[in-house]
Amino acid sequence: MNKHIITLSFLITSFVVFSQHKTIDQKVDELLSQMTLEEKVGQLNQYTGDWTATGPITINPNKQEEIKKGQIGSMLNILGTKYTRQYQELAMQSRLKIPLLFGQDVVHGYKTTFPIPLAEAASWDLEAMELSARIAAIEASASGIHWTFAPMVDISRDPRWGRVMEGAGEDTYLGSQIAYARVKGFQGEKLGNVNSVMATAKHFVAYGAAVGGRDYNSVDMSERMLWETYLPPFKATIDAGVATFMNSFNDLNGIPATGNAYLQREILKGKWNYSGFVVSDWGSIGEMVNHGYAENSKEAAFLALTAGSDMDMESSSYIKNLVVLVKENRVPVSLIDDAVRRILHKKFELGLFDDPYKFSNPAREKEALNNPEHTKAAREIAAKSIVLLKNENKILPLSKNIKTIAFIGPMVKPLRANHGFWAVELKEIDSTYIVSQWKGLVNKVGKNTKLLYAKGSDINSQNKEGFAEAVSIANQADVVIMSVGESWNMSGEAKSRSNIHLPGVQEELIKVIQATGKPLVVLINAGRPLVFDWTADHTPAILYTWWLGSESGNAIADVLFGDYNPSGKLPMTFPRNEGQIPIYYNYFNTGRPAQNETATNYVSAYIDLKNSPKFPFGYGLSYTTFQYSDLKLSSQKINSSEKIEVTVNITNTGKIFGEEVVQLYLRDKVGSVVRPVKELKDFQKVKLRAGETKTLNFTIDKEKLSFFNDKLEWVAEPGDFEVMIGASSADIRLRSDFELIK
Ligand code: BGC
């Protein structure tokens, strides 16, 4: 072959190889250069499908036609391979054939439903939480979904706020660890794998601090509080590689988060150099008009885009106004390009340009939605999420040979109640796969145990007609189990409650059953910490069973009968009553701290209520007991480049296998700003056979000692620290001191 031909063929081959191996950035740029301004703006537009509405539908565009014209970049609330394929086929009729993204709130499972996120947080089991998100992703992705609007990583110290159910509770350290694990679980090894979905860190930011615990309400917060308490879980999701962010409905110090350039441009895309995209919350761009921050939808579009919101969920402000705003030279096209680039990048990463139907494979869908391994995991994780609050006289675990058990209460038989607010509505799937609490008990006990049932009361009414029947079956039983709580739609979005007592007459029902003198176990099912003072003081055994998902019944039975020894610990403080809210364990000491629960004169206390909570953060019992001993620090004095190795022995002093969440708290005794009385800085969940002792190791480094100082710099200040090892924030078993020197 002649030399020139060889060179030419080499060049051609290299060109082909090069074009096949273009980077995603190159592919995005190439596509962007072919797009009209209208098509670009289309990519920033997201609409809901007609499947379920997870927000108020205020617009009614002809979505099918708009998709064909390339005016929609993403749809939410379209489920299943059949429907996602139908919609994707419309996108394939558009000029540039840019695939749609299908988003969905896959918050705690898809078909297989796991415990609500707050409940799962009570497991303090990061692997379990990663696994449940993984399984949710496997199922959702097999059903055509590319993107979940989860995890919600909002810290909240206010159980009146209905959305505490969706988060990891009140603590920033625990919340950050969980945020990281959940993102890893949803996104799997890498985006582009057929069973990975994009995760969303939401709601950016401070949504959980709504005034009065009322959803969507304003937030007024210091910079220090923002940086120290509310931002870190979001940063953790970035460290985990989260694909997208969602902003929040609230204003922060007067500026709606959606139109907040400080949050989105300066912190997120600036300081944190975030390369994913930001979707608005449902209608939140348009809602800036109601906030009184934008004059009309056009100004709202201007403010949101310039502030860094890339995609408009369901307000149509972008699609209506951005083209005009560019033509009027108010919005530079470079800003539109930046937003489009971020979105196209994700579509390429997911592999949708290679195969837009990649996630719509009915055979995979069928298999993924009927996988017994998923059911098994849901049962195990549900059991791990249950918190044993009380167990006097060791009533629990129950024997499997009890002759007669009465199971009483409005939560015994319903199915939906176990699922909680954010369960995905799969209309084409019959819900009988959900295991009711009744079914779980039936599955568990042998033929020789007689089971009696009475509803007793509704969840939330004043009707006491069922009391007599409930008392009558209680009288016939050897043991009574009661299941009470909130209905599935009493915690969740727009489900703030000013009164978080057990609803209706349920606590009165507990009183009349308790009066029968029968051994009594109470199950409390809820999406938030509830107030149940009388029950807490007078009944001998209480399990906090939250909303545990599709395997609720089996998991509860596993714990009731000791097939699983409870290991959950509360991720939120339980108040004595609503007057204590906001309540959290890592408070400042004040200049006049109350030395004890009764002193009220000229100290920081209520004259009509103790300061301490009903159940503290980190609290939860086991059927066995644990002894903490031999706390050792490798050094009592370190400089900031050194570390302290902490060791502690934990012994299972009971007769059965158990797991303990060992918690490490630190206190910085004096700071350039006041520091909390204690802060969780590490934990380990340890498994111990009866009689077994394990030595746990923790490392304290500069990072764990740092905070935002008086100049808002992240520093560790020299001085004295206290290290506390505890079984809860209020049950510190071992303490020691050390000094940080310059
Ligand atoms: C919620 C979001 C959710 C979105 C889509 C909004 O109302 O605040 O958390 O992802 O709806 O369903």
Side-chain angles (χ1 to χ4, degrees):
M1 220 191 292
N2 130 358
K3 213 168 94 193
H4 294 292
I5 296 179
I6 294 175
T7 316
L8 187 66
S9 69
F10 172 77
L11 284 175
I12 291 171
T13 321
S14 319
F15 177 74
V16 171
V17 170
F18 174 73
S19 54
Q20 278 169 351
H21 288 91
K22 274 185 231 159
T23 64
I24 290 185
D25 285 336
Q26 288 166 329
K27 291 181 193 173
V28 169
D29 281 341
E30 209 166 84
L31 180 55
L32 199 65
S33 69
Q34 297 166 43
M35 292 170 79
T36 62
L37 178 59
E38 286 73 8
E39 284 165 338
K40 289 177 183 175
V41 172
Q43 286 305 302
L44 313 186
N45 187 29
Q46 184 189 54
Y47 284 142
T48 185
D50 304 322
W51 193 270
T52 41
T54 46
I57 296 181
T58 51
I59 45 179
N60 193 17
N62 184 345
K63 292 162 196 166
Q64 264 91 348
E65 283 313 304
E66 296 202 8
I67 292 170
K68 286 197 233 163
K69 285 194 245 149
Q71 291 191 353
I72 301 180
S74 171
M75 296 289 295
L76 69 150
N77 294 333
I78 291 178
L79 299 174
T81 52
K82 187 169 147 200
Y83 298 103
T84 48
R85 176 173 278 271
Q86 279 172 12
Y87 273 82
Q88 201 64 293
E89 280 168 356
L90 298 172
M92 289 306 109
Q93 293 173 45
S94 65
R95 189 179 77 90
L96 291 170
K97 300 187 178 16
I98 301 178
L100 289 169
L101 280 177
F102 297 110
Q104 182 69 33
D105 294 282
V106 183
V107 173
H108 55 111
Y110 186 70
K111 180 190 168 203
T112 309
T113 316
F114 291 88
I116 56 164
L118 182 65
E120 260 191 6
S123 74
W124 294 55
D125 187 330
L126 300 173
E127 275 174 29
M129 285 180 259
E130 183 170 337
L131 178 65
S132 90
R134 187 82 289 277
I135 292 174
I138 290 170
E139 293 190 4
S141 64
S143 204
I145 305 300
H146 308 135
W147 177 17
T148 174
F149 304 128
M152 185 191 99
V153 303
D154 297 311
I155 297 298
S156 184
R157 295 163 162 186
D158 193 333
R160 291 171 301 181
W161 189 50
R163 298 196 81 167
V164 294
M165 61 148 299
E166 270 177 77
E170 76 185 43
D171 186 62
T172 302
Y173 178 80
L174 179 62
S176 301
Q177 302 286 314
I178 292 175
Y180 186 94
R182 287 188 167 140
V183 170
K184 286 284 179 201
F186 285 128
Q187 298 194 167
E189 270 170 35
K190 68 173 177 62
L191 291 185
N193 285 358
V194 77
N195 60 18
S196 290
V197 295
M198 298 197 294
T200 310
K202 74 184 188 187
H203 306 85
F204 198 61
V205 61
Y207 183 41
V211 171
R214 206 182 70 212
D215 208 2
Y216 317 128
N217 209 0
S218 298
V219 176
D220 196 285
M221 178 179 286
S222 72
E223 275 292 290
R224 175 165 301 101
M225 178 76 92
L226 180 69
W227 281 96
E228 210 163 277
T229 306
Y230 289 83
L231 285 174
F234 287 95
K235 179 63 172 52
T237 65
I238 296 183
D239 297 340
V242 73
T244 72
F245 260 58
M246 184 186 289
N247 55 36
S248 55
F249 288 121
N250 56 286
D251 74 83
L252 178 66
N253 304 331
I255 306 200
T258 310
N260 201 314
Y262 170 60
L263 296 176
Q264 301 180 119
R265 292 248 178 249
E266 218 177 303
I267 298 177
L268 181 61
K269 293 176 177 174
K271 195 175 168 64
W272 290 349
N273 201 17
Y274 181 61
S275 61
F277 70 88
V278 181
V279 62
S280 78
D281 204 346
W282 180 296
S284 68
I285 297 180
E287 286 174 17
M288 289 200 289
V289 176
N290 290 345
H291 277 280
Y293 189 66
E295 228 173 291
N296 49 39
S297 131
K298 185 174 171 189
E299 291 312 304
F302 171 79
L303 289 164
L305 190 87
T306 48
S309 296
D310 300 307
M311 187 181 275
D312 175 1
M313 180 192 287
E314 195 60 17
S315 93
S316 61
S317 308
Y318 279 5
I319 197 73
K320 282 191 192 138
N321 303 300
L322 282 181
V323 171
V324 180
L325 282 162
V326 172
K327 291 192 173 148
E328 288 173 359
N329 287 326
R330 289 190 60 207
V331 169
V333 82
S334 59
L335 271 194
I336 308 267
D337 284 353
D338 176 61
V340 177
R341 254 195 202 99
R342 288 167 183 268
I343 293 163
L344 292 179
H345 203 281
K346 293 301 167 204
K347 293 186 176 183
F348 275 108
E349 270 183 71
L350 289 171
L352 292 177
F353 285 96
D354 301 328
D355 178 5
Y357 306 110
K358 183 174 163 182
F359 294 79
S360 300
N361 173 342
R364 189 166 80 91
E365 180 177 42
K366 196 161 170 226
E367 196 195 323
L369 299 195
N370 293 289
N371 185 336
E373 288 300 313
H374 297 184
T375 313
K376 186 167 165 269
R379 180 174 182 161
E380 286 170 6
I381 296 172
K384 286 176 190 212
S385 305
I386 294 173
V387 184
L388 177 63
L389 295 180
K390 227 185 143 181
N391 192 19
E392 274 173 14
N393 307 324
K394 296 201 175 158
I395 290 195
L396 289 170
L398 299 175
S399 148
K400 286 179 191 157
N401 299 320
I402 297 171
K403 284 217 181 84
T404 307
I405 299 175
F407 202 2
I408 297 171
M411 305 296 281
V412 175
K413 291 215 169 166
L415 298 181
R416 183 72 172 87
N418 300 320
H419 261 182
F421 185 85
W422 276 109
V424 180
E425 244 184 89
L426 292 169
K427 289 192 185 136
E428 289 170 352
I429 291 176
D430 166 6
S431 59
T432 48
Y433 72 96
I434 305 169
V435 184
S436 71
Q437 298 182 11
W438 177 254
K439 179 95 181 296
L441 190 64
V442 172
N443 290 345
K444 182 63 72 179
V445 297
K447 282 198 289 295
N448 298 331
T449 302
K450 191 170 162 198
L451 298 180
L452 305 173
Y453 163 73
K455 185 176 166 200
S457 76
D458 298 324
I459 291 172
N460 197 10
S461 83
Q462 295 305 312
N463 189 341
K464 296 185 194 170
E465 277 167 18
F467 279 28
E469 186 199 3
V471 170
S472 145
I473 68 154
N475 280 324
Q476 297 165 47
D478 301 299
V479 169
V480 182
I481 308 168
M482 294 189 70
S483 189
V484 295
E486 291 185 307
S487 63
W488 68 271
N489 57 2
M490 292 182 84
S491 283
E493 184 173 347
K495 299 291 177 269
S496 297
R497 291 177 62 199
S498 65
N499 169 348
I500 57 166
H501 281 63
L502 263 177
V505 289
Q506 294 180 94
E507 199 153 43
E508 286 179 60
L509 178 65
I510 298 172
K511 284 182 193 169
V512 298
I513 300 298
Q514 165 80 356
T516 64
K518 297 288 177 165
L520 175 61
V521 179
V522 180
L523 312 176
I524 301 182
N525 310 267
R528 53 154 67 84
L530 289 180
V531 170
F532 45 94
D533 226 32
W534 189 91
T535 304
D537 290 344
H538 296 92
T539 61
I542 304 172
L543 288 166
Y544 213 76
T545 47
W546 315 97
W547 292 328
L548 293 173
S550 38
E551 282 295 304
S552 286
N554 285 331
I556 290 172
D558 287 342
V559 169
L560 282 171
F561 292 89
D563 290 332
Y564 183 77
N565 182 356
S567 63
K569 302 261 189 180
L570 299 175
M572 271 189 94
T573 303
F574 277 44
R576 292 175 186 276
N577 71 31
E578 296 84 356
Q580 289 182 313
I581 299 170
I583 183 167
Y584 44 95
Y585 79 93
N586 46 353
Y587 54 86
F588 297 149
N589 208 24
T590 81
R592 293 188 178 187
Q595 298 303 341
N596 58 55
E597 295 279 33
T598 46
T600 57
N601 216 11
Y602 299 112
V603 294
S604 178
Y606 299 102
I607 57 170
D608 59 353
L609 189 67
K610 291 177 177 174
N611 276 3
S612 64
K614 194 73 195 173
F615 297 103
F617 173 82
Y619 171 83
L621 303 172
S622 162
Y623 296 154
T624 185
T625 45
F626 301 98
Q627 193 188 57
Y628 290 55
S629 64
D630 297 311
L631 173 62
K632 290 197 186 92
L633 272 55
S634 60
S635 168
Q636 231 78 37
K637 200 174 266 193
I638 54 166
N639 65 36
S640 62
S641 61
E642 292 171 329
K643 294 176 183 173
I644 293 183
E645 299 302 330
V646 176
T647 57
V648 60
N649 286 349
I650 311 295
T651 306
N652 179 346
T653 45
K655 294 198 171 59
I656 56 168
F657 169 87
E659 293 163 81
E660 173 71 330
V661 179
V662 179
Q663 302 156 43
L664 182 146
Y665 295 90
L666 288 177
R667 178 174 191 187
D668 186 343
K669 292 189 182 171
V670 179
S672 62
V673 294
V674 173
R675 305 304 305 142
V677 290
K678 56 174 81 78
E679 290 177 284
L680 183 75
K681 289 291 176 181
D682 212 343
F683 64 88
Q684 287 182 41
K685 189 163 188 171
V686 56
K687 294 181 181 1
L688 293 167
R689 292 188 309 273
E692 190 183 7
T693 298
K694 278 187 183 161
T695 302
L696 305 189
N697 302 294
F698 298 95
T699 305
I700 298 175
D701 58 10
K702 186 180 168 202
E703 185 65 19
K704 286 199 161 67
L705 304 178
S706 297
F707 67 100
F708 290 96
N709 70 3
D710 51 348
K711 298 177 193 68
L712 270 183
E713 300 151 343
W714 182 247
V715 296
E717 290 180 348
D720 291 335
F721 289 82
E722 183 177 17
V723 53
M724 293 161 264
I725 305 286
S728 86
S729 61
D731 182 10
I732 300 301
R733 304 282 180 91
L734 301 164
R735 298 167 187 270
S736 186
D737 289 333
F738 64 91
E739 188 187 348
L740 176 69
I741 53 172
K742 274 200 180 141

